[in-house]
């Protein structure tokens, strides 16, 4: 029955939000991202206008996810069995969430990058500029260490599976080297994003577990940082 009191309507709305957060992993991720953004605004001291724009963007993503869940529930109610039109309805609703998320990401980048990038660039500058030889040696050491670890664990093959993920280690080693050589925050973020995509592909292909990928990423990043810092000190 349709609620007649405002408090009853509010309770129904809250129940819908709680149901979505409880059943939809993406909604929980959106809430977590919103929490991170809100905390960041406090530390970065953004302007009132920037805070309003960020709040509207985050609210739009949450709204789109709520509508997506509503569409999915209605489609399942009307068409419990598979139907091409039901798939189109669900895919379109999910596409709306993706569009909203991309728009919010762009808005967040345009606002927060002005506060974060200068600090990030300063941190990269504090490490110093590695030598060309140091960059090459660090990548080779990462490859050798991965091979040694794979030999000791006797899991998978040299190019597929095993602990740690060689693809993740090498990808993050290169991303670390590029970040320190360019000292450009945008280039650094893009290369790290690319390394993350390479690592994620190993999970999608069921070649590595999450533990193996994370260990590979840490191995590549840690060894590269250590070698480049040593070369900087030696120089």
């Amino acid at each position: 029955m349709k609620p007649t009191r405002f408090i009853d309507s509010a309770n129904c709305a809250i129940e819908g939000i709680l149901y979505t957060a409880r059943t939809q992993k993406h909604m929980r991720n959106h809430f977590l991202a919103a929490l991170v953004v809100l905390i960041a605004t406090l530390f970065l001291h953004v302007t009132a206008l920037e805070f309003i724009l960020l709040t509207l963007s985050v609210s739009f993503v949450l709204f789109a996810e709520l509508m997506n869940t509503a569409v999915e529930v209605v489609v399942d109610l009307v068409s419990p069995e598979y139907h091409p039109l039901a798939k189109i309805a669900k895919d379109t609703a999910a596409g709306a969430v993706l569009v909203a998320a991309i728009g919010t990401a762009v808005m967040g980048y345009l606002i927060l990058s002005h506060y974060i990038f200068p600090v990030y660039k300063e941190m990269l500058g504090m490490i110093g500029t590695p030598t060309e030889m140091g960059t090459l040696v660090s990548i080779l050491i990462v490859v050798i260490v991965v091979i040694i670890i794979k030999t000791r664990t006797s899991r998978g093959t040299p190019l597929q599976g095993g602990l740690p993920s060689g693809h993740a280690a090498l990808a993050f080693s290169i991303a670390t080297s590029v970040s320190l050589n360019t000292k450009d925050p945008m280039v650094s973020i893009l290369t790290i994003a690319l390394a993350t995509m390479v690592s994620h592909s190993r999970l999608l292909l069921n070649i590595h577990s999450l533990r193996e990928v994370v260990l590979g990423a840490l191995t590549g990043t840690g060894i590269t940082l250590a070698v480049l810092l040593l070369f900087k000190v030696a120089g």
Side-chain angles (χ1 to χ4, degrees):
M1 295 178 62
K2 184 177 181 179
T4 56
R5 298 186 304 166
F6 172 77
I7 186 66
D8 294 331
S9 299
N11 284 331
C12 290
I14 294 173
E15 287 179 2
I17 296 174
L18 293 177
Y19 170 83
T20 305
R22 184 172 60 252
T23 60
Q24 304 297 319
K25 178 182 178 180
H26 292 305
M27 188 62 166
R28 295 193 294 271
N29 292 336
H30 292 325
F31 272 123
L32 180 60
L35 181 63
V36 172
V37 170
L38 290 176
I39 294 176
T41 59
L42 294 176
F43 283 98
L44 299 177
H45 303 291
V46 301
T47 65
L49 177 59
E50 291 171 336
F51 180 76
I52 292 173
L53 293 174
L54 288 173
T55 302
L56 288 176
S57 298
V58 170
S59 299
F60 187 56
V61 173
L62 298 178
F63 167 78
E65 188 63 53
L66 288 169
M67 294 304 298
N68 177 48
T69 303
V71 170
E72 288 183 347
V73 172
V74 172
V75 169
D76 290 339
L77 176 64
V78 176
S79 178
E81 302 297 330
Y82 174 80
H83 193 283
L85 293 179
K87 180 180 183 301
I88 292 175
K90 289 186 175 183
D91 290 348
T92 304
V97 178
L98 179 60
V99 171
I102 292 175
T104 300
V106 172
M107 180 69 72
Y109 164 76
L110 292 176
I111 294 176
L112 299 179
S113 62
H114 295 292
Y115 297 92
I116 297 176
F117 276 14
V119 178
Y120 187 33
K121 187 173 184 178
E122 184 178 349
M123 291 174 59
L124 293 175
M126 292 173 59
I127 299 177
T129 303
T131 62
E132 182 178 347
M133 183 66 69
T135 301
L136 179 61
V137 169
S138 65
I139 294 175
L140 293 176
I141 290 178
V142 168
V143 174
I144 293 173
V145 169
V146 168
I147 293 176
I148 292 175
I149 297 177
K150 282 179 176 288
T151 303
R152 299 291 294 178
T153 56
S154 300
R155 294 177 58 185
T157 64
L159 296 178
Q160 183 171 341
L163 180 72
S165 169
H167 286 76
L170 189 58
F172 274 91
S173 174
I174 294 174
T176 303
S177 297
V178 171
S179 298
L180 296 179
N181 276 280
T182 62
K183 293 183 174 56
D184 187 319
M186 173 55 72
V187 173
S188 175
I189 290 176
L190 290 177
T191 52
I192 292 174
L194 185 59
T196 303
M197 293 171 62
V198 171
S199 302
H200 188 239
S201 68
R202 313 306 288 174
L203 296 176
L204 294 179
L205 295 173
N206 294 320
I207 297 176
H208 286 285
S209 64
L210 179 61
R211 175 170 170 265
E212 293 169 347
V213 168
V214 171
L215 183 58
L218 293 176
T219 300
T221 302
I223 292 176
T224 304
L225 278 175
V227 173
L228 295 184
L229 283 174
L230 286 175
F231 267 75
K232 172 191 175 264
V233 172

